[in-house]
Amino acid sequence: MRRGTRRGRCAALLTAAVAVSLGAVGCTAGPGAQDDGRASTAPVPERSHSAAPASGPVLAVKVDNVRAARPQTGLEDADVVYAEPVEAGLSRLMAIYATELPESVGPVRSARESDLELLGQFDRPVLAFSGAQSKLLPIIDKAPLRAEPASEDSDAYVRAGDRQAPHNLYLRPDELLGKPSGAAALTTGFTYGKAPAGGRAESSHTVRYPSASFAFTWSDSRDRWLVSMDGSPARTADGGRLAPATVVVQHVRVRESDFRDFRGSNSPYVESVGSGEAEVLRDGRVYDATWKRGAAADGTTFTTGDGKPLNFAEGQVWVVFAGRS
């Protein structure tokens, strides 16, 4: 199917999905535990972005990001990691896999309304999540994606015995996708290549949410940004450091959604369609940028002050959504 045709169909489906008026509801969890509805060293491998056509969809996994969930498993293998605000000022992650599938990803947590808009950029992505608020589930089912929530009879999900629920649910990606789909499935709109002129040298950069924070410190020896979360180094399951090649701080509108968690806290809605300002971190420098995404089925473009594409460095990308004033 041609990309243009898919965009039209996806845009229509997504518009219909998110246009439903919803009330305050509880949260439906994965196997064995109620989801509380809140976000309660080896070098990073290079990835080619000029590969053969995609052989399937991307895999998107909602990943827990409270202290009890760390260190997470499988984040280092993601092509893109999105960080988003959730209830109570906390954060949650969405990891996108196209060029590599790790043996395990997790802990897996619940989906949010704005995930549907964010994932509209991909062609029928597979969304792995622990559950969702009950009135959101039919909306997810109508969205242009393949929903794979955790269930008692699913071979794709397992509970780890060394952690407390709900921070112990893990995904086996190869149970959902037999093989990586390839870089062509990453229809993010990002461009990769030589760094633009200008920018400013910066050794560290911090983004703060009301109850969470992300800090990125440049490592000359790794040629990567070392991640810290909530003041502590962010590590892989085997003790290494999470270290993307490019970090994007994307300033977006964050508004109230139609949902609340079981405590009554409203779930923030991140508007990833539109335009605004951003900072792009690569090669130990920070570049001011403008982002634009015209529709949910489009990728996001980042441009310099003179309107030229702002290339990312080859390797993993982290996108941190930050509310704008």
Side-chain angles (χ1 to χ4, degrees):
M1 181 181 295
R2 292 182 304 168
R3 175 74 172 162
T5 303
R6 186 193 74 78
R7 284 181 176 176
R9 290 181 62 191
C10 287
L13 285 167
L14 191 56
T15 299
V18 298
V20 177
S21 177
L22 303 166
V25 292
C27 201
T28 301
Q34 179 89 6
D35 192 314
D36 66 3
R38 55 177 281 182
S40 1
T41 40
V44 175
E46 297 285 353
R47 292 176 172 87
S48 171
H49 293 269
S50 57
S55 60
V58 301
L59 171 64
V61 186
K62 292 303 298 289
V63 178
D64 202 352
N65 197 35
V66 295
R67 290 185 186 273
R70 301 174 191 150
Q72 294 98 335
T73 299
L75 286 180
E76 66 273 22
D77 295 314
D79 294 282
V80 183
V81 176
Y82 291 99
E84 56 191 0
V86 292
E87 300 82 10
L90 296 166
S91 66
R92 190 158 292 179
L93 307 176
M94 179 186 286
I96 306 295
Y97 299 89
T99 63
E100 188 173 352
L101 293 179
E103 292 185 4
S104 177
V105 179
V108 180
R109 291 304 299 272
S110 56
R112 294 295 183 273
E113 184 185 9
S114 52
D115 296 337
L116 306 182
E117 181 175 280
L118 180 59
L119 289 174
Q121 65 190 299
F122 302 113
D123 188 1
R124 302 296 301 184
V126 177
L127 174 60
F129 58 108
S130 65
Q133 296 180 7
S134 58
K135 289 189 178 180
L136 179 58
L137 289 171
I139 311 307
I140 295 174
D141 288 340
K142 293 178 182 178
L145 53 79
R146 179 180 134 203
E148 291 285 354
S151 63
E152 295 289 354
D153 59 355
S154 173
D155 292 332
Y157 293 92
V158 296
R159 290 279 179 188
D162 59 348
R163 291 195 180 191
Q164 295 292 319
H167 313 294
N168 64 346
L169 181 66
Y170 290 82
L171 173 73
R172 296 167 171 161
D174 61 357
E175 293 287 338
L176 300 183
L177 292 179
K179 63 179 181 178
S181 296
L186 291 169
T187 50
T188 56
F190 304 163
T191 60
Y192 298 79
K194 183 180 179 181
R200 58 188 180 276
E202 192 163 315
S203 60
S204 64
H205 195 93
T206 299
V207 181
R208 300 186 189 281
Y209 292 176
S211 302
S213 66
F214 297 87
F216 303 93
T217 303
W218 178 249
S219 169
D220 283 324
S221 62
R222 293 284 305 277
D223 201 26
R224 292 290 187 271
W225 295 93
L226 304 181
V227 183
S228 295
M229 295 187 288
D230 302 336
S232 298
R235 299 196 177 277
T236 63
D238 62 4
R241 289 292 296 271
L242 295 176
T246 303
V247 177
V248 179
V249 181
Q250 186 174 341
H251 299 278
V252 298
R253 183 186 177 215
V254 179
R255 61 172 173 82
E256 290 191 352
S257 73
D258 292 319
F259 300 95
R260 295 182 181 276
D261 69 7
F262 77 100
R263 292 180 175 84
S265 299
N266 187 268
S267 297
Y269 189 104
V270 174
E271 294 189 357
S272 57
V273 171
S275 60
E277 298 178 346
E279 292 87 51
V280 175
L281 287 61
R282 60 164 295 176
D283 306 327
R285 303 185 72 81
V286 177
Y287 298 86
D288 294 325
T290 298
W291 69 269
K292 184 175 182 180
R293 186 179 177 208
D298 296 334
T300 306
T301 60
F302 293 86
T303 55
T304 60
D306 58 6
K308 295 180 180 179
L310 202 165
N311 291 331
F312 295 175
E314 290 287 346
Q316 188 181 73
V317 178
W318 277 52
V319 179
V320 181
F321 290 118
R324 60 191 179 198
S325 56

